[in-house]
Amino acid sequence: MPGLVGTAPNQVPTNQDLGKLAYMDDYIPGVVKANTGTAYSLDLTDGLVQQLTLTGNCTYTFPNAGAGASFLLVQSQDATGSHTVTWPASVKWPGATAPTITATANKTDLFAFTGDGSYWYGRTIGQNY
């Protein structure tokens, strides 16, 4: 049985090793970059970092909240700003209150979501970047 990658000096991983690491436990590397329009359905099979620009008042649709699944939402206002978000009913926020998103043009908010099999638990990482 081969040793673990990185356990020997000067060991270089093979493509086979990298493939095993990249897709272990259904991890999907990659960043999705898109404009939302007025409705946007997140597809986590394309990447667990969703970098979305609000180009209208947007209603999000999230995939089923798989137990232990997580993703990051990097949400920006476009050059107009003042767009709003309607979160899916499957998202629970601390205190049962969704955050007020930054409305300023070209500003960014960061959110993380973790699934329990039924719901996505949302949390604000930072706002007004």
Side-chain angles (χ1 to χ4, degrees), residues 60-105:
Y60 283 126
T61 301
F62 286 6
N64 291 334
S70 293
F71 69 94
L72 177 68
L73 174 60
V74 181
Q75 177 180 274
S76 301
Q77 293 281 352
D78 65 8
T80 304
S82 297
H83 302 300
T84 62
V85 167
T86 300
W87 302 101
S90 62
V91 176
K92 291 189 176 231
W93 296 99
T97 303
T100 300
I101 66 169
T102 301
T104 307

Side-chain angles (χ1 to χ4, degrees), residues 15-72:
N15 285 340
Q16 183 179 10
D17 295 328
L18 292 174
K20 287 178 187 174
L21 292 173
Y23 295 99
M24 189 170 33
D25 295 328
D26 295 327
Y27 172 72
I28 309 296
V31 176
V32 174
K33 293 182 180 183
N35 294 329
T36 64
T38 58
Y40 189 84
S41 294
L42 278 73
D43 183 353
L44 301 182
T45 62
D46 293 333
L48 296 177
V49 176
Q50 303 280 318
Q51 188 174 341
L52 305 178
T53 300
L54 297 171
T55 56
N57 295 335
C58 183
T59 298
Y60 283 126
T61 301
F62 286 6
N64 291 334
S70 293
F71 69 94
L72 177 68

Side-chain angles (χ1 to χ4, degrees), residues 1-13 17:
M1 182 168 159
L4 294 174
V5 173
T7 59
N10 301 321
Q11 186 177 8
V12 177
D17 295 328

